[in-house]
Amino acid sequence: HSAVDVVFNALHGSYGEDGKVQALLEWHNIPFTGSGSAGSAVGMNKAMTKKMFDSHGIKNQYSVMVESGMIQNEPDSVLSALFNSFVMPAVVKPNSSGSSVGVSIIRKFDDFYPALYNASQHSDEVIVEEYIKGIEATCGVIDHFRGQRYYALPPVEIRPSADFFDYNAKYVSGTQEIVPATFPDVIKKEIERIAIQIHENLGLRHYSRSDFIVHPKRGIFALEVNTLPGLTNESLIPKALRAVGSDLHHLVD
């Protein structure tokens, strides 16, 4: 491995994005792009991300964690406890899965168990959280760009054609991605500030992208952080780079 100058990590999802490949490369002292093993592991684990948000005063949705085994073995008690503690609609998602796989919005009791069971197939734990209706936004952060230690790219506004930005909307259907976003300047600046705070608090490296929802009355909620965001031409960081007169080639250089 001594012949390797640097590993360019463009893997997504489990193993490539959750700190495992990063730990292997760190063990062998091989330089690589993207965040280290610790920040990657936290960023991929939605419950740990939420704990980090809470400890740094970053607003996020109310949520409850359920073990997948309980969903499969004691469905009735899990269902009644959850349904009694949540105002509908709610969001059900696997704790550790990328690309919105296994995520559902629940509007009525009958939808609850199928959604829980589906999410439990993708992770050992399932998160149920309040559904906040608002406009989705995402904001990339780059290290050492244009003379700044942490540089926030302009937030991208996401207006899905479907009800929410699910796997299909992300990769298939006609979702509108507006950059720069149409939010008021004060909201844009705050999204940029929180994205930098998340990047810094998690000790992320090189580049990251945080996702938000903006509620008209309740303000900005942090949803999650992507420690290894996509770098295709259609991906959100390259779109934001082009909006500030840069591009992916420049970032890679």
Side-chain angles (χ1 to χ4, degrees):
H1 68 254
S2 57
V4 177
D5 292 328
V6 64
V7 168
F8 195 103
N9 185 5
L11 296 167
H12 290 291
S14 52
Y15 200 70
E17 202 173 351
D18 60 8
K20 293 193 178 72
V21 156
Q22 291 84 348
L24 189 68
L25 293 167
E26 285 164 358
W27 177 254
H28 288 288
N29 288 319
I30 298 172
F32 59 94
T33 63
S35 295
S37 57
S40 301
V42 174
M44 193 66 169
N45 184 307
K46 294 179 175 73
M48 284 169 74
T49 302
K50 278 181 167 295
K51 274 192 182 139
M52 185 277 289
F53 287 165
D54 289 338
S55 66
H56 290 95
I58 297 166
K59 188 160 57 175
N60 60 94
Q61 309 108 301
Y62 168 69
S63 67
V64 169
M65 173 97 87
V66 194
E67 286 178 17
S68 295
M70 282 188 70
I71 291 166
Q72 289 159 20
N73 300 328
E74 306 169 38
D76 293 344
S77 61
V78 167
L79 268 180
S80 59
L82 282 174
F83 196 72
N84 291 331
S85 66
F86 265 88
V87 176
M88 295 292 111
V91 181
V92 173
K93 54 172 80 164
N95 184 29
S96 52
S97 170
S99 296
S100 307
V101 173
V103 180
S104 317
I105 292 188
I106 308 306
R107 299 188 184 284
K108 56 184 192 294
F109 184 78
D110 292 350
D111 299 337
F112 223 138
Y113 187 69
L116 286 167
Y117 186 81
N118 177 29
S120 76
Q121 301 297 297
H122 298 282
S123 178
D124 292 341
E125 295 159 321
V126 172
I127 289 180
V128 183
E129 61 189 18
E130 62 174 322
Y131 172 62
I132 291 165
K133 190 142 179 77
I135 300 169
E136 292 198 44
T138 192
C139 185
V141 174
I142 301 172
D143 285 359
H144 303 296
F145 187 70
R146 295 189 175 163
Q148 292 183 34
R149 174 69 185 87
Y150 302 115
Y151 180 97
L153 292 166
V156 181
E157 185 177 335
I158 298 163
R159 292 182 177 265
S161 50
D163 220 3
F164 77 126
F165 200 34
D166 63 2
Y167 183 89
N168 209 44
K170 236 174 225 189
Y171 295 104
V172 185
S173 70
T175 297
Q176 257 192 308
E177 290 156 356
I178 305 158
V179 54
T182 64
F183 302 118
D185 273 351
V186 63
I187 297 282
K188 281 194 249 192
K189 287 274 178 288
E190 185 61 4
I191 289 171
E192 290 173 14
R193 186 194 69 75
I194 302 167
I196 287 173
Q197 186 187 350
I198 291 168
H199 186 90
E200 194 174 2
N201 289 157
L202 256 185
L204 302 183
R205 195 176 63 168
H206 299 157
Y207 62 112
S208 72
R209 206 194 78 226
S210 291
D211 296 340
F212 302 91
I213 196 116
V214 182
H215 187 274
K217 291 194 175 68
R218 296 173 67 193
I220 301 162
F221 288 79
L223 300 177
E224 62 178 349
V225 60
N226 302 275
T227 57
L228 213 59
L231 294 177
T232 71
N233 267 343
E234 290 308 299
S235 297
L236 298 161
I237 277 196
K239 282 185 177 174
L241 279 166
R242 293 194 288 270
V244 293
S246 182
D247 60 21
L248 192 50
H249 300 286
H250 186 210
L251 176 71
V252 172
D253 284 345

